[in-house]
Amino acid sequence: MYITMLKSKIHCARITEANMDYEGSIEIDEDLMDASGIVKYEKVLISNVSNANRFETYVIPGKRGSGCIGLNGAAARLGVKGDKVIIFAFAQIEAEKRKDFKPAILLINDDNTIKKVIH
């Protein structure tokens, strides 16, 4: 049997841009993607701490080192520049392996740099 577990979390990043004239997705700085283990086109759940919106989309890489967290397409209506968001990615793992599984959790500074990584 497989269960769904948290794989990656980027905690309290700030939205840096919202662009409705795009086909959709969330753009994430590649440094944050690498540190969290989130990959291009991966499905993620976004929780907007500032307005309580929750939605799913897919990830596209943003400029490395830019700190960008950009909402695109319809998602751009669910947050504005400066809002704090939590980005979650999940994985299916064998139930027997759950006790040894450790997600990558990034705690983020206000400028979207990494404050701390928890594994």
Side-chain angles (χ1 to χ4, degrees), residues 100-117:
D100 296 324
F101 185 77
K102 301 274 191 269
I105 299 173
L106 306 184
L107 304 180
I108 303 298
N109 294 308
D110 283 341
D111 62 354
N112 288 345
T113 56
I114 300 169
K115 182 188 314 185
K116 184 176 182 179
V117 179

mmCIF file of all heavy atoms in Angstrom, residues 100-117:
data_model
loop_
_atom_site.group_PDB
_atom_site.id
_atom_site.type_symbol
_atom_site.label_atom_id
_atom_site.label_comp_id
_atom_site.label_asym_id
_atom_site.label_seq_id
_atom_site.Cartn_x
_atom_site.Cartn_y
_atom_site.Cartn_z
ATOM 1 N N ASP A 100 10.784 6.278 8.120
ATOM 2 C CA ASP A 100 12.123 6.748 7.761
ATOM 3 C C ASP A 100 12.105 7.938 6.822
ATOM 4 O O ASP A 100 13.142 8.535 6.552
ATOM 5 C CB ASP A 100 12.915 5.608 7.112
ATOM 6 C CG ASP A 100 13.143 4.454 8.068
ATOM 7 O OD1 ASP A 100 13.341 4.703 9.272
ATOM 8 O OD2 ASP A 100 13.099 3.300 7.608
ATOM 9 N N PHE A 101 10.924 8.286 6.321
ATOM 10 C CA PHE A 101 10.818 9.350 5.323
ATOM 11 C C PHE A 101 10.911 10.718 5.988
ATOM 12 O O PHE A 101 10.265 10.982 6.998
ATOM 13 C CB PHE A 101 9.493 9.228 4.565
ATOM 14 C CG PHE A 101 9.368 10.226 3.451
ATOM 15 C CD1 PHE A 101 10.034 10.028 2.253
ATOM 16 C CD2 PHE A 101 8.606 11.375 3.616
ATOM 17 C CE1 PHE A 101 9.931 10.954 1.228
ATOM 18 C CE2 PHE A 101 8.501 12.304 2.595
ATOM 19 C CZ PHE A 101 9.167 12.087 1.407
ATOM 20 N N LYS A 102 11.717 11.598 5.417
ATOM 21 C CA LYS A 102 11.877 12.959 5.930
ATOM 22 C C LYS A 102 11.662 13.948 4.786
ATOM 23 O O LYS A 102 12.386 13.929 3.796
ATOM 24 C CB LYS A 102 13.288 13.160 6.493
ATOM 25 C CG LYS A 102 13.656 12.212 7.613
ATOM 26 C CD LYS A 102 13.207 12.745 8.933
ATOM 27 C CE LYS A 102 13.773 11.979 10.083
ATOM 28 N NZ LYS A 102 12.986 10.885 10.560
ATOM 29 N N PRO A 103 10.688 14.832 4.917
ATOM 30 C CA PRO A 103 10.490 15.849 3.877
ATOM 31 C C PRO A 103 11.560 16.940 3.987
ATOM 32 O O PRO A 103 12.194 17.101 5.039
ATOM 33 C CB PRO A 103 9.114 16.421 4.208
ATOM 34 C CG PRO A 103 8.974 16.220 5.677
ATOM 35 C CD PRO A 103 9.706 14.948 5.999
ATOM 36 N N ALA A 104 11.746 17.676 2.911
ATOM 37 C CA ALA A 104 12.613 18.859 2.919
ATOM 38 C C ALA A 104 11.721 20.064 3.216
ATOM 39 O O ALA A 104 10.784 20.341 2.472
ATOM 40 C CB ALA A 104 13.304 19.028 1.577
ATOM 41 N N ILE A 105 12.005 20.741 4.303
ATOM 42 C CA ILE A 105 11.221 21.911 4.698
ATOM 43 C C ILE A 105 12.140 23.120 4.722
ATOM 44 O O ILE A 105 13.150 23.124 5.432
ATOM 45 C CB ILE A 105 10.571 21.692 6.082
ATOM 46 C CG1 ILE A 105 9.623 20.487 6.010
ATOM 47 C CG2 ILE A 105 9.857 22.960 6.544
ATOM 48 C CD1 ILE A 105 9.037 20.063 7.332
ATOM 49 N N LEU A 106 11.791 24.130 3.920
ATOM 50 C CA LEU A 106 12.571 25.366 3.871
ATOM 51 C C LEU A 106 11.832 26.443 4.634
ATOM 52 O O LEU A 106 10.661 26.715 4.354
ATOM 53 C CB LEU A 106 12.766 25.850 2.434
ATOM 54 C CG LEU A 106 13.354 24.898 1.407
ATOM 55 C CD1 LEU A 106 13.554 25.629 0.082
ATOM 56 C CD2 LEU A 106 14.645 24.316 1.886
ATOM 57 N N LEU A 107 12.496 27.058 5.580
ATOM 58 C CA LEU A 107 11.973 28.250 6.247
ATOM 59 C C LEU A 107 12.596 29.436 5.530
ATOM 60 O O LEU A 107 13.809 29.481 5.321
ATOM 61 C CB LEU A 107 12.331 28.246 7.728
ATOM 62 C CG LEU A 107 11.886 27.008 8.511
ATOM 63 C CD1 LEU A 107 12.303 27.130 9.977
ATOM 64 C CD2 LEU A 107 10.404 26.774 8.390
ATOM 65 N N ILE A 108 11.762 30.400 5.149
ATOM 66 C CA ILE A 108 12.184 31.462 4.238
ATOM 67 C C ILE A 108 12.186 32.828 4.926
ATOM 68 O O ILE A 108 11.279 33.149 5.691
ATOM 69 C CB ILE A 108 11.225 31.493 3.016
ATOM 70 C CG1 ILE A 108 11.205 30.133 2.313
ATOM 71 C CG2 ILE A 108 11.583 32.595 2.040
ATOM 72 C CD1 ILE A 108 12.515 29.683 1.738
ATOM 73 N N ASN A 109 13.219 33.622 4.621
ATOM 74 C CA ASN A 109 13.293 35.016 5.075
ATOM 75 C C ASN A 109 12.344 35.874 4.242
ATOM 76 O O ASN A 109 11.852 35.447 3.198
ATOM 77 C CB ASN A 109 14.725 35.549 4.921
ATOM 78 C CG ASN A 109 15.699 34.850 5.837
ATOM 79 O OD1 ASN A 109 15.476 34.763 7.047
ATOM 80 N ND2 ASN A 109 16.776 34.340 5.273
ATOM 81 N N ASP A 110 12.125 37.118 4.677
ATOM 82 C CA ASP A 110 11.229 38.029 3.961
ATOM 83 C C ASP A 110 11.679 38.337 2.532
ATOM 84 O O ASP A 110 10.873 38.725 1.697
ATOM 85 C CB ASP A 110 11.054 39.338 4.733
ATOM 86 C CG ASP A 110 10.100 39.187 5.911
ATOM 87 O OD1 ASP A 110 9.313 38.208 5.939
ATOM 88 O OD2 ASP A 110 10.140 40.049 6.805
ATOM 89 N N ASP A 111 12.979 38.156 2.237
ATOM 90 C CA ASP A 111 13.471 38.415 0.874
ATOM 91 C C ASP A 111 13.536 37.129 0.040
ATOM 92 O O ASP A 111 14.179 37.086 -0.999
ATOM 93 C CB ASP A 111 14.835 39.098 0.909
ATOM 94 C CG ASP A 111 15.923 38.248 1.561
ATOM 95 O OD1 ASP A 111 15.614 37.156 2.108
ATOM 96 O OD2 ASP A 111 17.097 38.669 1.528
ATOM 97 N N ASN A 112 12.868 36.075 0.509
ATOM 98 C CA ASN A 112 12.809 34.775 -0.163
ATOM 99 C C ASN A 112 14.153 34.067 -0.255
ATOM 100 O O ASN A 112 14.374 33.244 -1.144
ATOM 101 C CB ASN A 112 12.145 34.871 -1.540
ATOM 102 C CG ASN A 112 10.653 35.092 -1.431
ATOM 103 O OD1 ASN A 112 10.060 34.908 -0.379
ATOM 104 N ND2 ASN A 112 10.046 35.504 -2.521
ATOM 105 N N THR A 113 15.029 34.360 0.678
ATOM 106 C CA THR A 113 16.248 33.575 0.819
ATOM 107 C C THR A 113 15.993 32.528 1.895
ATOM 108 O O THR A 113 15.074 32.669 2.713
ATOM 109 C CB THR A 113 17.472 34.445 1.209
ATOM 110 O OG1 THR A 113 17.156 35.162 2.414
ATOM 111 C CG2 THR A 113 17.818 35.421 0.090
ATOM 112 N N ILE A 114 16.795 31.494 1.895
ATOM 113 C CA ILE A 114 16.604 30.399 2.833
ATOM 114 C C ILE A 114 17.157 30.755 4.203
ATOM 115 O O ILE A 114 18.330 31.091 4.344
ATOM 116 C CB ILE A 114 17.272 29.105 2.313
ATOM 117 C CG1 ILE A 114 16.654 28.717 0.982
ATOM 118 C CG2 ILE A 114 17.156 27.983 3.341
ATOM 119 C CD1 ILE A 114 17.412 27.618 0.245
ATOM 120 N N LYS A 115 16.288 30.691 5.193
ATOM 121 C CA LYS A 115 16.674 30.914 6.591
ATOM 122 C C LYS A 115 17.201 29.614 7.191
ATOM 123 O O LYS A 115 18.220 29.603 7.876
ATOM 124 C CB LYS A 115 15.464 31.389 7.388
ATOM 125 C CG LYS A 115 15.751 31.690 8.846
ATOM 126 C CD LYS A 115 14.495 31.984 9.680
ATOM 127 C CE LYS A 115 13.533 32.940 9.043
ATOM 128 N NZ LYS A 115 12.391 33.309 9.889
ATOM 129 N N LYS A 116 16.482 28.514 6.900
ATOM 130 C CA LYS A 116 16.840 27.228 7.497
ATOM 131 C C LYS A 116 16.245 26.102 6.654
ATOM 132 O O LYS A 116 15.149 26.248 6.122
ATOM 133 C CB LYS A 116 16.299 27.164 8.921
ATOM 134 C CG LYS A 116 16.662 25.937 9.701
ATOM 135 C CD LYS A 116 16.147 26.047 11.133
ATOM 136 C CE LYS A 116 16.557 24.837 11.955
ATOM 137 N NZ LYS A 116 16.087 24.924 13.327
ATOM 138 N N VAL A 117 16.966 24.995 6.560
ATOM 139 C CA VAL A 117 16.473 23.790 5.894
ATOM 140 C C VAL A 117 16.335 22.702 6.959
ATOM 141 O O VAL A 117 17.272 22.450 7.713
ATOM 142 C CB VAL A 117 17.412 23.312 4.773
ATOM 143 C CG1 VAL A 117 16.886 22.038 4.120
ATOM 144 C CG2 VAL A 117 17.637 24.404 3.742
#
